[in-house]
Each structure stands twice: as structure tokens, then as C-alpha cells.
Amino acid sequence: MMKIGIIGCDSSHSLSFTKVINSGRFKQTAVTAFAPVFSEDIPLSAKRKDRIQTLLIQEQGLAELSLEKLCEECDAFLLLALDPYKRLSFFSELSKWGKPVFIDKPLSITLAESKEIADISIKTGTPFMSASALRFESGFQRWANTMEHPPLSLTVKGPLLFEKTFPGYSWYGIHLTEMIMAVMGGMPDDVHAELKPGVEIISMHFQNGTKAVLQGDLAGEQPFSAEATLRDGSSIIWKNLEPGTLFEGIANASVHFFMMGKSSVTQREMLQSIELVERINHKRKALNK
């Protein structure tokens, strides 16, 4: 049995991953323990940690261990601690053990730090994976997989909420950007931002002449959806998350990663995800001056 350890007790994702992985569908893996990591200086982290910690112990039956003891006893790690500024330091510590690490989105807070994580991974032989749950949501994946080639145009819509600790699109925006990257297959050549009352519109153009538009609802009420125009001129639409399925796909992908030691999202894609967020944040900052 592969034992999975969680780093962090301040994110709802700790409960979500545990519930799916320990549901009985995975016979060779189980989340067995967590290290009670949180950040006192982040209000959201400090507010959540007691309730989540209690549920991990009493509801999910996980053992509470020190980080060092967790590293000794577990075979793989879910790095889910809320603070994005500590991703690099935690990965650096975990890499001493050479065991696979899933890092919750965002991979890190800057492209420079993300590249450091990649460098550490290569030097120590420590596999890592990072992705938005939206990329692996079952309905979205089925829809995206119907396209043999990137569409002529893509529009994604969804809630665009912000959290003080996470600069710009590092919080909810990264879900929308990863949906675009998963379908379009790479980085755009240029990015244009337009800020309107209640909505942000990010337009992207790609080298092959295709384009994508991100429409973020600042009220947070717009459900996730996507519409693609194919090369024959037809359109296909995806909308509505399937109830209760959001974490099933990402949990399945993380378990497969732990078992195989190889991420289904390439290192290049993971770094590009952070690069795109940085580019969008730069464009937004310029408009807000």
C-alpha cells in the first residue's frame, strides 16, 4: 500500500483529496497522515485550520505527524498548504526524500520560483506535478478530447474571485487560464486585457492564427463554461460542472502520478501556466495604474 501524506491543514482541498482517494476506488494507495501546516499571518489560513484539522482526524481518520515524521512514513506527498509563497521552500525540503510531490495550484507564486522547483526536481530526481482541478474535470476533459486539433477560437467563462495572498489570477483565474492551455496546447503570442464593470476580458492570439478569450465574472456567479469554434465552422459547448466530480479527475491524476512517477501534465506546461498568469497580471496592473 502506497501511503500518501498531506502537507497543510488550512485548505479545503486537504479534505477533498482525502475523501476521493480514500473512497475505496484506489486499491493500492491511501492518504494516511497530514502535517498540520498553516500560516498565522494569512487570515484565510488561520481561520480554516482548526476546523479542517479536526475533520482530517475525526472524520477521515488521518494521523497528525510532524513534517519530518510524515516524510519518513509516507511514500508520496500532497503539498496543499494554502500559502503560495512557501511552495518553493516546502518542495526543497521534501526533495531530500526523492518521493513524488503533487503541488496544489499555483505551482509557485512566480515563474522564477517555479523554475527553481523544476531545477530542484532534476537535481534530486524528485518528480512533481501541479494542475488546476478544472483541467481534469470529467465533463470538461471529455469535451476537450472530442477535438483532434486546437479550435479556431475558444471562449471560456467562469467566476473570477481574488484573494489578497494570491496575486491577481493566481487564485481563481488560474482555473480559466489552464482550461485555455489544455485546449489550445500552448502559450499565446500576445495577451490583451480589458477591464469592464463586473467582468474582465483577456484576449489571446496564438502563432497558428487561433485565438482564445477569457471572460471572468467578478461577482463570482458565472458558472464555468467553454465554447469552441472548430475548423469546419461548427461550434461545441461545454457547461456546468458535473455535481461532485470536480476533485475526482485531479485525484485520479495525482494517484496515477504517484504510482508511475510521471506527471500527465508536462513540466513545460506547468511552467507555462505560471508564465501566462504572470503575463495577465502584468497587463492588468498596467491598466490599473
Side-chain angles (χ1 to χ4, degrees):
M1 172 71 72
M2 173 177 276
K3 297 179 180 180
I4 301 170
I6 290 175
I7 294 89
C9 65
D10 58 352
S11 170
S12 60
H13 292 186
S14 298
L15 289 167
S16 298
F17 272 95
T18 300
K19 288 177 181 178
V20 175
I21 294 174
N22 289 2
S23 64
R25 71 183 64 192
F26 303 107
K27 305 302 182 183
Q28 296 177 292
T29 61
V31 180
T32 58
F34 74 98
V37 173
F38 74 101
S39 298
E40 191 71 60
D41 57 338
I42 298 177
L44 188 61
S45 173
K47 179 182 178 181
R48 287 176 167 184
K49 63 102 176 177
D50 286 340
R51 183 185 71 86
I52 293 173
Q53 185 173 6
T54 298
L55 290 173
L56 288 174
I57 296 171
Q58 297 183 0
E59 182 184 272
Q60 300 302 316
L62 302 192
E64 180 181 341
L65 303 175
S66 67
L67 181 59
E68 183 176 359
K69 191 66 174 176
L70 187 85
C71 290
E72 290 176 357
E73 293 196 1
C74 293
D75 307 300
F77 309 111
L78 290 163
L79 176 50
L80 307 178
L82 193 66
D83 191 345
Y85 291 91
K86 295 181 179 178
R87 298 280 198 264
L88 174 58
S89 60
F90 273 124
F91 184 76
S92 180
E93 179 66 25
L94 295 172
S95 70
K96 297 175 183 177
W97 302 84
K99 302 172 182 179
V101 183
F102 176 89
I103 305 173
D104 205 2
K105 59 86 184 168
L107 172 59
S108 189
I109 208 64
T110 66
L111 178 60
E113 286 196 358
S114 297
K115 288 180 177 179
E116 285 191 59
I117 288 174
D119 288 342
I120 292 171
S121 170
I122 293 170
K123 291 176 182 176
T124 63
T126 304
F128 74 92
M129 175 181 176
S130 183
S132 158
L134 263 294
R135 177 186 281 263
F136 289 98
E137 197 277 334
S138 55
F140 175 74
Q141 267 207 327
R142 284 197 301 272
W143 175 81
N145 288 340
T146 63
M147 292 177 269
E148 294 183 13
H149 306 284
L152 292 176
S153 65
L154 172 70
T155 298
V156 299
K157 300 178 181 180
L160 183 60
L161 303 176
F162 298 96
E163 172 60 36
K164 185 178 180 180
T165 308
F166 293 72
Y169 277 50
S170 297
W171 184 238
Y172 261 60
I174 200 167
H175 293 308
L176 296 165
T177 59
E178 283 219 16
M179 289 168 66
I180 289 174
M181 293 188 67
V183 173
M184 303 306 285
M187 283 287 291
D189 285 347
D190 64 78
V191 175
H192 175 76
E194 186 177 0
L195 311 184
K196 294 184 175 182
V199 65
E200 291 194 5
I201 301 173
I202 309 297
S203 303
M204 309 174 196
H205 293 86
F206 295 80
Q207 189 174 22
N208 58 5
T210 60
K211 62 181 180 179
V213 176
L214 181 161
Q215 294 185 22
D217 173 33
L218 299 179
E221 298 173 354
Q222 170 74 52
F224 289 104
S225 67
E227 180 174 2
T229 299
L230 306 182
R231 301 188 180 202
D232 63 2
S234 63
S235 295
I236 56 173
I237 298 173
W238 169 79
K239 59 182 179 180
N240 300 329
L241 298 172
E242 296 180 3
T245 66
L246 180 57
F247 275 88
E248 288 184 2
I250 192 70
N252 184 69
S254 66
V255 169
H256 184 267
F257 160 63
F258 291 148
M259 298 297 293
M260 304 303 294
K262 184 176 181 180
S263 171
S264 57
V265 182
T266 67
Q267 192 174 106
R268 179 171 175 268
E269 287 178 279
M270 288 186 270
L271 295 179
Q272 285 182 336
S273 175
I274 303 304
E275 182 180 358
L276 181 55
V277 167
E278 278 197 351
R279 289 175 64 181
I280 292 173
N281 287 347
H282 178 74
K283 293 289 186 178
R284 294 179 70 252
K285 186 176 181 180
L287 289 176
N288 281 316
K289 286 184 177 179

